[in-house]
Amino acid sequence: MNNSTKCLNCDQEISGNFCSHCGQKTAIHRIDFKNFIKHHFLHGLFHIEKGMLFTAKESLIRPGKAALDYIEGKRIRYYNVFYFILLLIGLNLFLSNYHAQLVNEYFDHPTIVIKDTFGNKFQPFLIKNAKILIFSFVPLFAINSFILFRKRKLNFSEHLIIAGITFLGILLINTLDTIVSFLIFTEYFDIIYKILTIIIGITIILLPIFSYYQTFKEYYKKGTFAFRVILFILLTLLELYVFAFFIVGYLSNWKFGDVQFNT
């Protein structure tokens, strides 16, 4: 146990249970097996899980309010939103790839074949940069909300927080959809999968609207907000189109006539 009057981490004078400079506990015990299991392994695991579950719940139930709470400084209960997004992207890619393999095995499903040099570049590019491409939705959301929802006078970084929590909710729902998609390999539950897919698709569309409404409803009338949301969606689709245009152009050496997709 630490009996010193100085913090063992930053060497600052300490008083109380925590160092006022770096936040480390002042009661430091020697690491033995019992201490390791109780304080390092179980506590760390529970803390991460608790933070992730709370953040997941907030991003689904009250994403706009959660974003505002975080912006206003209520952050200790939240798991890092952007780490969480990257973890979910990785999980979704793993599940999607495994699902595609099962589809080919069970249904002899025809896969898309991309011909020519473009095809040889396109598929590896998607595989290599999938996380970056999916994560790019967050700054796109932030840019568009920063342009369209100015009355609240939030800076761009704060719009990134709103976009991150909103996109986290979308990814959580999409993860559920990916998991539910495995029902097509069952004999009696494929109809449930079709119904759930429709419900999940509608929810994914409505969640960002719900999130931004919670965030900015006090600053815009409903008609004005609806108009700005429509612009938000159209602007996002336009940016994705331009983004795809430049990727395809770069990979095809700007020879769009040579790009062919055949089954």
Side-chain angles (χ1 to χ4, degrees):
M1 184 173 179
N2 179 26
N3 295 316
S4 172
T5 59
K6 291 188 177 183
C7 174
L8 298 178
N9 185 57
C10 65
D11 205 36
Q12 296 291 315
E13 293 292 331
I14 55 175
S15 62
N17 295 324
F18 296 91
C19 173
S20 60
H21 185 260
C22 70
Q24 176 168 285
K25 285 185 177 181
T26 55
I28 303 298
H29 299 271
R30 182 176 179 181
I31 298 176
D32 54 24
F33 184 74
K34 180 180 177 181
N35 178 268
F36 172 79
I37 295 296
K38 182 178 179 180
H39 294 283
H40 295 271
F41 182 75
L42 292 179
H43 176 74
L45 181 64
F46 175 75
H47 179 73
I48 291 174
E49 185 176 300
K50 182 179 177 182
M52 292 180 75
L53 289 175
F54 177 78
T55 306
K57 182 196 74 173
E58 293 292 286
S59 68
L60 292 170
I61 297 176
R62 52 192 297 274
K65 292 180 180 179
L68 291 177
D69 284 348
Y70 194 92
I71 289 169
E72 291 168 1
K74 302 174 184 178
R75 302 168 187 171
I76 193 169
R77 298 181 67 187
Y78 289 91
Y79 186 75
N80 187 295
V81 173
F82 302 104
Y83 289 165
F84 205 163
I85 288 174
L86 290 173
L87 288 172
L88 282 177
I89 291 174
L91 177 61
N92 273 276
L93 291 174
F94 170 77
L95 291 175
S96 297
N97 289 334
Y98 184 58
H99 183 273
Q101 292 175 15
L102 290 179
V103 167
N104 290 331
E105 291 179 11
Y106 279 79
F107 302 112
D108 193 25
H109 192 275
T111 56
I112 296 177
V113 178
I114 308 176
K115 292 185 175 182
D116 304 327
T117 306
F118 172 75
N120 296 329
K121 294 180 179 179
F122 186 71
Q123 289 178 334
F125 177 84
L126 285 183
I127 294 171
K128 182 179 179 180
N129 299 285
K131 283 190 176 182
I132 297 174
L133 293 173
I134 298 173
F135 192 82
S136 65
F137 275 91
V138 175
L140 286 182
F141 278 20
I143 290 169
N144 296 342
S145 65
F146 181 73
I147 293 171
L148 294 170
F149 299 103
R150 301 298 299 272
K151 280 190 177 182
R152 190 153 198 139
K153 297 182 180 179
L154 299 174
N155 61 43
F156 179 71
S157 296
E158 291 167 332
H159 279 274
L160 275 173
I161 297 298
I162 300 168
I165 292 179
T166 302
F167 192 63
L168 175 62
I170 293 173
L171 271 179
L172 285 166
I173 298 171
N174 187 74
T175 304
L176 175 62
D177 181 52
T178 305
I179 294 171
V180 167
S181 69
F182 285 90
L183 288 175
I184 65 171
F185 304 111
T186 62
E187 187 173 354
Y188 302 106
F189 294 99
D190 54 336
I191 185 65
I192 298 177
Y193 160 68
K194 293 177 182 178
I195 296 172
L196 287 176
T197 297
I198 295 173
I199 296 173
I200 289 171
I202 294 172
T203 306
I204 287 175
I205 295 172
L206 292 179
L207 182 68
I209 299 173
F210 175 60
S211 176
Y212 282 97
Y213 179 71
Q214 281 190 335
T215 308
F216 300 106
K217 63 181 179 180
E218 298 176 2
Y219 293 82
Y220 297 95
K221 295 180 179 179
K222 290 184 179 179
T224 305
F225 175 79
F227 174 71
R228 290 177 182 274
V229 164
I230 292 172
L231 287 179
F232 180 91
I233 294 171
L234 292 176
L235 190 56
T236 303
L237 292 174
L238 176 62
E239 288 163 344
L240 290 175
Y241 176 81
V242 172
F243 200 29
F245 174 83
F246 278 101
I247 290 175
V248 173
Y250 171 75
L251 294 176
S252 64
N253 293 322
W254 307 102
K255 298 177 181 178
F256 293 97
D258 297 334
V259 178
Q260 298 179 11
F261 295 83
N262 296 319
T263 56

